[in-house]
Amino acid sequence: MKNSPSILVIYTGGTIGMIQDAETGALKPFNFENIYEQIPVLEYLHYNIDFYTFDSLIDSSNMHPEFWIRLAEVIEDNYESYDGFVVLHGSDTMAYTASALSFMLENLNKPVILTGSQLPLGVVRTDGRENFINSIEIAAASKDDTPLIPEVAIYFENRLLRGNRTSKLNAENFNAFFSGNFPALAEIGVHVKYNYNYIRKPNFKKLIVHKNLNYNVAILKLFPGLSENTVKAILNTEGLRAVILETFGAGNAPTDKWFIDLLEQAIKRGVLIINVTQCKEGAVEIGKYETSVGLGKIGIVGGYDITTESAITKLMYLLGDGYNNETIIKLLNQSLR
Ligand code: ASP
């Protein structure tokens, strides 16, 4: 008989792991070893659940690439011992972490499900309880000994979304995440409905963990009135290797000569510039409007329908692996994970 699934829950911090101090009423992190007191129903799942708690728990606004490396190492060190991983994480930068992990964990063949909550687990109306239980169930789900979700995903409210396709959209609603350009991997109601056509297939190759991240990158968000000095300051940042240019609509930008010239000079100095739309749905189509023709001519790379979170972490990974610009441009145009 097959053993019950074993899941490693990795707690990084964030709202989900908080309870109210009985005396002061302040929120404080609780010890996950006592999870069965918080969520007694977990016993009924009959899974082997272990916990790894980071020694310094962080609000995810303090997330950093160095932390991603430690997180990837925890998964790597425990990869053979568990069927799946649930990462408890603050929601604020969860989409960045999910994107980063997806690129760092090449040949991932097991579920890495990130979840969190808008209300702490220790609060009566918490959304954390459902998010936690459903994430564990999804991380444990398999068919013919093969995990159903061999990829990095975010579970929130009632949907499982591909990690590197997701953004946080709502600071208040339980339904906080959005994936405008890719369907949900699973929808959870009375039944868990997996959208098998959209879930990656396992490749059964050995996990490779990429631990070099180069974060000499920047995001330049366009707005009407953006000044020459600001653009200059960003593009002339010392050591800068790549910039996400967050454009309007289908990848459009002002046609002012000073603007195009500054971008062109940066590209000539070897800075990669990727055109990512500010829209949450739809894609960049360089050349569709006159206002993007100039961008294409000077060698800006079209990000198509990538999220900013995914683009910035994909760049960190590709730059960190030491590829030359030509190869990075080729890989930016491919779906790697
Ligand atoms: N500020 C918190 C964090 O991202 C919010 C949350 O946990 O959802 O860590």
Side-chain angles (χ1 to χ4, degrees):
M1 204 182 87
K2 193 188 176 313
N3 295 334
S4 21
S6 55
I7 305 296
L8 182 65
V9 176
I10 304 170
Y11 178 37
T12 67
T15 303
I16 190 165
M18 303 273 166
I19 45 163
Q20 229 151 9
D21 186 280
E23 278 165 30
T24 64
L27 289 173
K28 57 170 196 189
F30 81 88
N31 183 352
F32 266 89
E33 304 301 326
N34 303 330
I35 188 77
Y36 293 98
E37 283 167 26
Q38 291 295 324
I39 315 181
V41 74
L42 272 181
E43 301 269 13
Y44 296 115
L45 291 176
H46 298 299
Y47 297 155
N48 299 316
I49 305 176
D50 290 332
F51 292 90
Y52 179 97
T53 304
F54 273 84
D55 43 14
S56 51
L57 296 168
I58 58 165
D59 182 298
S60 78
S61 300
N62 284 318
M63 190 44 74
H64 190 278
E66 297 302 327
F67 197 106
W68 292 336
I69 295 168
R70 288 166 58 205
L71 184 51
E73 276 169 349
V74 174
I75 295 171
E76 181 181 32
D77 292 347
N78 291 283
Y79 192 70
E80 296 307 329
S81 313
Y82 292 92
D83 297 303
F85 300 85
V86 171
V87 180
L88 301 176
H89 193 292
S91 59
D92 290 348
T93 60
M94 191 183 287
Y96 288 91
T97 299
S99 299
L101 284 179
S102 77
F103 296 116
M104 295 169 80
L105 303 174
E106 185 176 354
N107 298 332
L108 181 69
N109 282 296
K110 294 188 178 184
V112 173
I113 312 297
L114 284 88
T115 196
S117 64
Q118 298 281 46
L119 283 174
L121 265 183
V123 167
V124 179
R125 272 191 330 104
T126 183
D127 51 328
R129 191 175 163 282
E130 311 307 320
N131 286 350
F132 186 66
I133 294 171
N134 284 321
S135 296
I136 300 257
E137 282 229 42
I138 290 167
S142 66
K143 199 175 170 197
D144 304 329
D145 277 343
T146 306
L148 287 190
I149 306 288
E151 54 174 292
V152 180
I154 289 183
Y155 182 80
F156 232 83
E157 176 72 345
N158 56 356
R159 284 176 314 150
L160 185 74
L161 304 173
R162 173 162 293 160
N164 58 25
R165 286 297 197 154
T166 304
S167 300
K168 182 173 181 182
L169 205 68
N170 201 307
E172 215 171 283
N173 278 4
F174 288 163
N175 205 343
F177 287 88
F178 181 75
S179 165
N181 285 325
F182 201 79
L185 301 180
E187 276 150 296
I188 286 77
V190 172
H191 302 286
V192 181
K193 279 197 255 161
Y194 289 98
N195 293 326
Y196 292 105
N197 290 345
Y198 297 111
I199 298 168
R200 285 181 71 88
K201 305 279 173 280
N203 64 7
F204 304 107
K205 289 188 187 160
K206 194 175 169 344
L207 179 75
I208 300 171
V209 183
H210 298 267
K211 297 181 199 167
N212 290 323
L213 297 174
N214 183 336
Y215 38 96
N216 285 312
V217 291
I219 299 174
L220 174 54
K221 180 169 181 157
L222 299 184
F223 61 91
L226 174 65
S227 77
E228 187 169 348
N229 278 344
T230 306
V231 177
K232 239 186 225 165
I234 293 178
L235 294 180
N236 289 325
T237 305
E238 213 187 307
L240 186 70
R241 292 293 319 276
V243 177
I244 308 283
L245 185 67
E246 270 207 9
T247 54
F248 307 122
N252 305 314
T255 48
D256 302 89
K257 186 167 177 328
W258 65 262
F259 179 69
I260 302 290
D261 284 351
L262 283 177
L263 294 174
E264 188 172 16
Q265 285 156 21
I267 291 170
K268 287 202 171 129
R269 289 197 305 272
V271 176
L272 285 157
I273 304 188
I274 325 301
N275 183 344
V276 175
T277 176
Q278 293 178 15
C279 295
K280 293 290 171 211
E281 262 181 280
V284 163
E285 266 184 82
I286 292 185
K288 182 173 179 188
Y289 290 89
E290 194 204 338
T291 42
S292 68
V293 171
L295 301 182
K297 279 193 188 143
I298 59 172
I300 288 187
V301 184
Y304 192 54
D305 66 354
I306 199 166
T307 61
T308 295
E309 293 88 334
S310 193
I312 200 89
T313 51
K314 188 170 179 177
L315 279 171
M316 289 184 197
Y317 150 66
L318 292 174
L319 290 166
D321 261 8
Y323 298 110
N324 61 28
N325 280 8
E326 202 188 323
T327 310
I328 293 180
I329 292 171
K330 209 173 89 204
L331 294 172
L332 281 169
N333 280 305
Q334 284 174 27
S335 171
L336 300 182
R337 308 280 189 269

